[in-house]
Amino acid sequence: MDARLNYFAGPTAGKAFKHLMSAGKAIKDSPLPAATQELVALRVSQINGCAVCIDMHTKDAAAAGETSVRLHLVAAWREATVFTEAERAALELAEQGTRIADGAGGVSDEVWAAAAKHYDEEQLTSLVVLVSFMNTANRLNVIAQQPAGSYEPGQFH
C-alpha cells in the first residue's frame, strides 16, 4: 500500500507539518502525564481508524514501559480494571471530544467535571489540545491512506 500523498515533499505541506510537529512537541512536553498522553492518542486513533497513529502510539507507549495488557484494553477501557480514575476521565473526554458529530453538545458538563477533578487547568488544556491534535493527525493520515507497520519508536520525536 502506498500513501496517496507525500506530506513532506511539497512546500505548503512542509511548512504546515513543521508547525504541526512543533505543536506535537509542545503537547509531549506538557505536564499531562506521558502515559495518559499515549493512552488518549491511542484511543482517539482507534475511534478514527488511523492505523499509522495506532502503530505509532502503541510502539511509543510500549517503549516507554506501558504494559501490553493496558494497550490491548484501551479499546474496551470502560470494562477494564487496569486504568486509574484519572485515565478513565481523560479517555472519556477524548471519546466525547472525538465523537462530536455523534453526540450533540460535544463534551458533557459531567465528563468535563470528572476530568477537572483529576487534572489542573494546564493539564486540561494539554488534554484538549492533544485530542484536537490527534483528530487532525488521524484525518490527515486516513485521507491520504498512510500505511502502518514501519514506525520505529521515537521516530518523530
Side-chain angles (χ1 to χ4, degrees):
M1 173 186 231
D2 291 326
R4 291 174 172 162
L5 295 171
N6 178 351
Y7 288 131
F8 298 102
T12 300
K15 287 179 197 173
F17 272 84
K18 177 182 171 186
H19 295 290
L20 282 173
M21 297 301 277
S22 292
K25 174 94 170 87
I27 296 164
K28 190 162 218 44
D29 294 343
S30 79
L32 186 65
T36 302
Q37 289 186 38
E38 291 299 341
L39 295 173
V40 165
L42 176 57
R43 185 64 191 126
V44 170
S45 300
Q46 289 171 337
I47 292 167
N48 289 325
C50 183
V52 72
C53 288
I54 292 168
D55 182 37
M56 176 191 302
H57 293 289
T58 54
K59 288 176 179 175
D60 281 347
E66 189 60 76
T67 68
S68 61
V69 170
R70 282 170 42 98
L71 291 174
H72 291 300
L73 287 173
V74 168
W77 64 268
R78 283 181 182 81
E79 294 81 26
T81 60
V82 298
F83 302 105
T84 67
E85 286 302 313
E87 290 167 339
R88 297 170 74 73
L91 288 165
E92 182 65 38
L93 189 145
E95 284 195 8
Q96 285 193 8
T98 298
R99 294 183 165 141
I100 291 173
D102 298 341
V107 176
S108 72
D109 290 340
E110 178 181 272
V111 167
W112 184 261
K117 203 167 85 175
H118 299 284
Y119 301 102
D120 64 26
E121 189 166 334
E122 185 64 24
Q123 291 170 319
L124 281 171
T125 299
S126 299
L127 180 58
V128 170
V129 172
L130 173 61
V131 171
S132 300
F133 178 85
M134 288 309 305
N135 275 286
T136 297
N138 291 166
R139 281 155 178 74
L140 287 165
N141 290 321
V142 169
I143 290 168
Q145 294 184 345
Q146 296 293 330
S150 63
Y151 179 79
E152 295 294 327
Q155 182 176 333
F156 294 123
H157 306 292

